[in-house]
Amino acid sequence: MHGRTFFWLAFGLAAAVSCSVANAQGIAPAFDPAYQAVAYPTPNTQATDAQLVNFSADDAGLSERVEELEAALKKIKDKDAAAKKKAAGKMSVTVGGRMQWDWETFDQNAVSINRDGDFLNGTEPRRARIFLKGEGFDVIEYKFQLDFAGGDAAFKDVYFQINELPYLGHVRVGQFYECWGLETQTSSNYITFMERSIISELGNVGGRKTGVMAWDYDACERMTWWLGAYVARENSDPPEFPFDDFDDDGGTAVDARFTYLPWYDEATEGRGLLHLGMAYSYRDIASVTNNATDRVRFRARPDFHLAGYMADTGQLQDVNNMNALGIESALVYGPFSLQAEYAMYWLDRTANANPRFDGGYIFASWFLTGENRAYKRTQGVFSRVKPLENFFRVRAEDGCIYTGKGAWELAYRAEYLNLSDAGVRGGVLTTHTVGVNWYLNPYTRFMVNYVSARSHDKGNAYAPGVDGTCDGFGVRAQIDF
């Protein structure tokens, strides 16, 4: 036993001596002034005293430079900390906005002109908005948005939000969109067609309301949930702030929305995904003090804002409450995408039969230039498209002109809406829309839409049983910042 111990001690001592001799023979790195770098001579090379002195001097200079860099980084960190401390005493402010200008023209048959009115060709600023938004104190954010498209300032999103709350996550108070539908929740800056589908705000379900809403998402960003309560005037048009007075017999809505991502391609950051969702709304209908018959109205345009209504129930006067259920889905597979939604509405009436209305759409889009639709996982909606190459046209020094093509997208949508049931003759409307989108950059695009719409079973005042038709063509120039 003692013999083995002595053997290992002797072996370790011999190894230490060998290393010392090797270092003395010049295996340590030497500094080569010709290349200003550390050179590693072969075991047969002897490092000179001058080389060793130069290496030591350079090593000392490197240490000084490292110390200077660390001191500079410390100053930057101290400055950032001071700025954050100062900013903690006030809210941040960011200014933004959007401009969407439309040109639209229509061709109707005589039945549509007599039933629905003559749709006049024209142009309009569809949206002309300015907003302020910001955050502060780690948990508060806000948004204040005005729209000047109608010539006067109209309130749009006006709310503040508290974040990082236990159980509830985020709580929003003010005026904002109800938690209803995939396309309704997607900003107009990012929708694929000039107008959202004919069911997006049907019966005033899904528009902007005053209320309170809680929402959150899971840690894996696969699920989102939303729950809100709102003041809901179910009149002919979505109300603008300030709202008209209504009595204490109803006038509220409660919505819930849930989304789930069963598939999301992490490696490509969403070039492949499957979105599923469902929304429910219960609405206790209120009477309006200045017009007790103004209760609920369902109507829809053929996918152009300047067009008239080709499906319209008129005012339904004796509705106590309404239930609505929406189902949503979307698939993104590289440049190709599919999206579909279906909604049903049940009305409870006191003096008439209870009608059920329904409708839905499906659309497909394809990016010819290879991009994909972007998806915001924390909110379960689609977001900004970023071209692989922005549009540009410049003349280089060699006299040649170089251009970038931007992103090009083709899209087709089919829609169906039935507003005729239980004695109500609001009509059955079908539309087909073909669209081309040119994204010059992430913030600028041109949109071209062609729509073919057909309606029947709308009232009995003119040519009952004969279809009304309308073909429309529209162009939009859009920019946001």
Side-chain angles (χ1 to χ4, degrees):
M1 184 69 179
H2 293 285
R4 292 184 180 178
T5 302
F6 176 79
F7 171 79
W8 288 113
L9 289 174
F11 181 82
L13 180 61
V17 171
S18 299
C19 291
S20 299
V21 172
N23 287 335
Q25 290 178 347
I27 296 178
F31 182 73
D32 187 350
Y35 295 95
Q36 295 295 305
V38 175
Y40 294 86
T42 62
N44 296 325
T45 303
Q46 183 80 24
T48 64
D49 293 339
Q51 287 177 323
L52 293 174
V53 170
N54 289 339
F55 177 77
S56 300
D58 185 75
D59 186 50
L62 180 61
S63 298
E64 292 178 359
R65 289 195 293 272
V66 170
E67 291 176 358
E68 292 175 357
L69 180 60
E70 290 177 346
L73 290 175
K74 186 177 184 302
K75 289 182 180 180
I76 293 174
K77 290 180 180 179
D78 293 342
K79 186 176 180 180
D80 289 344
K84 289 180 180 179
K85 184 177 180 181
K86 182 179 180 181
K90 61 181 180 181
M91 306 292 289
S92 67
V93 178
T94 300
V95 180
R98 74 190 69 175
M99 187 279 289
Q100 299 173 359
W101 205 286
D102 293 357
W103 293 263
E104 297 171 6
T105 182
F106 308 100
D107 181 22
Q108 301 169 259
N109 68 356
V111 174
S112 177
I113 292 175
N114 281 275
R115 284 184 186 169
D116 313 318
D118 190 4
F119 304 165
L120 301 180
N121 305 334
T123 179
E124 67 168 344
R126 181 64 177 93
R127 296 174 179 90
R129 298 180 182 175
I130 294 291
F131 70 78
L132 302 174
K133 69 176 182 179
E135 57 185 16
F137 305 96
D138 297 325
V139 295
I140 302 296
E141 65 180 81
Y142 70 92
K143 187 173 184 180
F144 183 87
Q145 184 182 61
L146 296 175
D147 192 351
F148 298 90
D152 298 319
F155 283 84
K156 293 302 179 180
D157 292 325
V158 182
Y159 63 81
F160 77 89
Q161 181 169 285
I162 306 174
N163 301 320
E164 305 297 338
L165 292 174
Y167 305 110
L168 296 178
H170 312 264
V171 173
R172 184 176 299 178
V173 179
Q175 176 173 283
F176 44 86
Y177 271 107
E178 294 182 58
C179 48
W180 170 268
L182 174 58
E183 197 171 40
T184 304
Q185 292 293 303
T186 300
S187 168
S188 64
N189 288 330
Y190 315 138
I191 57 177
T192 302
F193 298 90
M194 289 176 60
E195 297 296 331
R196 295 183 174 94
S197 69
I198 55 180
I199 67 167
S200 63
E201 296 183 30
L202 189 63
N204 203 23
V205 178
R208 286 184 174 90
K209 307 287 189 301
T210 294
V212 57
M213 178 179 71
W215 66 278
D216 204 3
Y217 54 92
D218 72 322
C220 298
E221 297 183 355
R222 290 295 183 115
M223 295 185 294
T224 72
W225 64 265
W226 312 69
L227 180 64
Y230 313 89
V231 175
R233 270 277 313 279
E234 312 302 333
N235 61 354
S236 58
D237 291 300
E240 298 291 347
F241 183 87
F243 300 102
D244 293 335
D245 295 333
F246 56 88
D247 66 17
D248 58 358
D249 181 20
T252 57
V254 177
D255 297 351
R257 179 175 181 249
F258 174 81
T259 71
Y260 176 59
L261 277 177
W263 173 52
Y264 183 87
D265 191 354
E266 300 278 0
T268 60
E269 297 183 347
R271 279 184 64 84
L273 65 87
L274 176 63
H275 163 102
L276 300 175
M278 179 178 293
Y280 169 76
S281 178
Y282 172 80
R283 317 178 85 79
D284 189 11
I285 309 303
S287 298
V288 181
T289 55
N290 59 1
N291 183 1
T293 64
D294 189 6
R295 289 298 187 95
V296 175
R297 187 175 192 176
F298 286 75
R299 58 183 182 174
R301 296 183 175 98
D303 290 343
F304 281 124
H305 190 250
L306 292 179
Y309 295 92
M310 295 186 70
D312 189 351
T313 63
Q315 297 292 350
L316 303 179
Q317 302 178 7
D318 58 339
V319 181
N320 284 330
N321 57 70
M322 176 172 63
N323 291 269
L325 177 67
I327 302 172
E328 58 193 63
S329 62
L331 170 70
V332 174
Y333 195 80
F336 175 75
S337 73
L338 282 173
Q339 181 172 315
E341 292 188 76
Y342 175 76
M344 294 177 287
Y345 308 82
W346 295 270
L347 278 62
D348 180 17
R349 307 181 72 183
T350 57
N352 293 276
N354 300 327
R356 190 200 73 175
F357 307 135
D358 70 323
Y361 72 87
I362 183 171
F363 80 70
S365 74
W366 181 273
F367 280 93
L368 303 178
T369 45
E371 292 80 3
N372 62 280
R373 297 177 70 199
Y375 184 84
K376 193 168 185 178
R377 299 173 65 178
T378 58
Q379 296 187 12
V381 298
F382 285 96
S383 185
R384 187 182 303 277
V385 171
K386 297 180 179 179
L388 298 176
E389 178 185 60
N390 292 332
F391 169 76
F392 64 89
R393 189 176 189 276
V394 296
R395 186 182 299 274
E397 293 180 356
D398 59 5
C400 297
I401 295 177
Y402 297 89
T403 61
K405 55 183 174 293
W408 288 83
E409 180 185 25
L410 298 180
Y412 165 76
R413 178 170 67 188
E415 299 173 277
Y416 169 84
L417 176 63
N418 184 1
L419 298 183
S420 293
D421 186 48
V424 178
R425 289 292 174 262
V428 177
L429 174 63
T430 58
T431 71
H432 300 272
T433 304
V434 177
V436 179
N437 298 323
W438 179 28
Y439 301 81
L440 285 73
N441 54 60
Y443 301 90
T444 311
R445 69 172 171 173
F446 287 99
M447 310 177 73
V448 178
N449 282 187
Y450 167 76
V451 178
S452 177
R454 181 178 298 271
S455 69
H456 65 274
D457 200 25
K458 181 186 177 185
N460 297 305
Y462 181 84
V466 181
D467 291 350
T469 64
C470 174
D471 294 325
F473 181 81
V475 178
R476 170 174 294 172
Q478 172 183 313
I479 189 168
D480 71 284
F481 56 92

